[in-house]
Amino acid sequence: MKTNCEYYHVFYYAAKYKNLTLAAEALHNSQPNVSRTIRLLEHDLGCQLLIRSNRGISLTPEGERLYSYVKTAMEQLQAAEDELKMLTGLHEGVVSIGASETALHLLLLPVLKRFRESHPQIRIRIQNHLTLQAIESVRQNIVDFAVVTSPAHVSDPLKSSSLMYFQDILIGGNAFLSLSGSPVSLHDIQQYPLVCLGGHTMVYHFFDHLYRQNGLALKPEFEAATTDQILPMVKNNLGLGFFPEEMAKEALASREICQIRLTGEIPRREIFLIENREHPLTLAAEALKTLMIEYSLLAVS
């Protein structure tokens, strides 16, 4: 191609704005230089591209045809430039995440491991919160986004997206091994001590609702501050406890605890991504979000 590519660049803005003065401003150039460049392009192509008048400029049929190609080329170049900026923008940055404990263990930790391998230069800040605290931290823009477990209710400008489901099971220590045979009902286990998160948590309200549906009252003898505290308390036979099945697998395999099957099903819970519509994510946060969604899709496939 013998014609200087810069000529097409100038022609693009002249045709886009239909005004040589505006084109010159967009190009940070002078109007005489823009006019001269257009004349050089017309000379190279052997045809008139613009019609000049007191009201501005218009395109000739040849100019319209050329503009359709140049416009496509400029848009593709801009898209390529944006993509490269996104890639190079991941050489540094910080992502702040609010996470409930169960969401951290079941989803976020394996995703962060993968993210760290591909973007070791990005710093990650995790704030371990209860679900309500994590949601509020998104609302106040303390974190980029939150990953929490259901129940999780949000209102504008926040939005929630379901990432994956998980199942809670009832577990007990070796002192309650006799309960691991035939399935038992919630009514049957009321005579045994129960370990549960405190009444200020959404998990407590989830199981309180389950008990009420069965005509029972949830009255835990031991209240744990975090989900992680439930497992050691159960191992030490302080009581039975509801616990995410995936997080209990290792202790079940080593026979430190046993699963107590119920006659009724415990509804599955979900892990949600919470974002603020009014505050777009940074490139680094968007990349982590994309990886998390991809991982969650693979987990359920």
Side-chain angles (χ1 to χ4, degrees):
M1 185 174 67
K2 67 176 183 178
T3 301
N4 191 326
C5 289
E6 184 61 23
Y7 294 177
Y8 292 108
H9 187 222
V10 172
F11 169 75
Y12 169 75
Y13 281 97
K16 178 180 180 180
Y17 292 114
K18 303 291 194 300
N19 186 294
L20 295 181
T21 301
L22 293 178
E25 290 177 358
L27 291 163
H28 302 289
N29 208 327
S30 66
Q31 182 176 334
N33 282 341
V34 170
S35 297
R36 184 177 62 85
T37 302
I38 297 298
R39 287 196 298 270
L40 289 172
L41 179 61
E42 290 176 332
H43 178 269
D44 281 356
L45 298 178
C47 62
Q48 185 178 3
L49 301 172
L50 304 179
I51 300 174
R52 299 158 183 83
S53 68
N54 293 332
R55 291 177 296 178
I57 61 174
S58 59
L59 297 177
T60 65
E62 293 81 1
E64 291 281 4
R65 185 67 173 169
L66 178 63
Y67 180 65
S68 66
Y69 285 102
V70 173
K71 181 174 181 290
T72 299
M74 290 295 294
E75 288 174 347
Q76 290 178 337
L77 287 171
Q78 185 62 56
E81 184 176 304
D82 291 341
E83 184 174 346
L84 288 175
K85 284 182 178 179
M86 179 175 288
L87 292 174
T88 57
L90 294 178
H91 285 310
E92 60 181 16
V94 179
V95 182
S96 296
I97 309 166
S100 63
E101 201 164 14
T102 300
L104 176 67
H105 285 284
L106 295 185
L107 176 61
L108 195 53
L109 286 179
V111 170
L112 288 177
K113 180 181 178 182
R114 294 188 180 187
F115 186 78
R116 188 67 176 171
E117 290 171 353
S118 55
H119 305 293
Q121 64 284 355
I122 303 297
R123 289 181 293 157
I124 306 294
R125 294 174 181 166
I126 298 176
Q127 298 190 22
N128 198 357
H129 287 315
L130 299 175
T131 293
L132 290 177
Q133 293 173 331
I135 291 174
E136 188 60 26
S137 68
V138 178
R139 188 180 301 278
Q140 295 182 12
N141 301 314
I142 297 172
V143 298
D144 293 301
F145 56 78
V147 186
V148 301
T149 55
S150 62
H153 307 294
V154 301
S155 57
D156 285 335
L158 304 187
K159 66 174 181 178
S160 64
S161 306
S162 178
L163 294 174
M164 62 182 290
Y165 287 90
F166 68 96
Q167 182 68 55
D168 291 290
I169 60 173
L170 182 63
I171 57 174
N174 291 328
F176 301 96
L177 195 59
S178 60
L179 295 175
S180 63
S182 301
V184 296
S185 67
L186 288 178
H187 184 274
D188 294 332
I189 66 170
Q190 281 227 295
Q191 59 182 301
Y192 301 101
L194 183 68
V195 180
C196 187
L197 292 181
H200 60 290
T201 66
M202 297 305 293
V203 176
Y204 178 94
H205 291 296
F206 174 82
F207 285 105
D208 181 59
H209 179 68
L210 177 64
Y211 269 63
R212 290 178 185 275
Q213 284 184 318
N214 287 271
L216 303 171
L218 179 63
K219 296 180 179 180
E221 280 73 9
F222 297 92
E223 289 191 3
T226 65
T227 301
D228 271 353
Q229 292 179 358
I230 294 177
L231 187 57
M233 294 172 76
V234 169
K235 287 181 179 179
N236 284 277
N237 296 310
L238 294 180
L240 307 178
F242 294 102
F243 200 68
E245 183 177 17
E246 187 66 28
M247 295 170 62
K249 280 186 175 181
E250 187 175 333
L252 287 168
S254 62
R255 300 183 182 276
E256 295 176 275
I257 60 172
C258 61
Q259 180 178 353
I260 300 166
R261 304 186 186 280
L262 296 172
T263 52
E265 290 186 356
I266 302 174
R268 291 188 304 168
R269 289 198 287 145
E270 292 179 81
I271 296 179
F272 287 102
L273 171 69
I274 309 296
E275 301 173 81
N276 191 329
R277 290 189 178 92
E278 295 181 349
H279 295 273
L281 296 178
T282 63
L283 292 178
E286 189 69 44
L288 178 55
K289 169 190 167 182
T290 299
L291 183 61
M292 188 162 49
I293 293 173
E294 291 174 354
Y295 180 90
S296 64
L297 290 174
L298 289 174
V300 299
S301 62

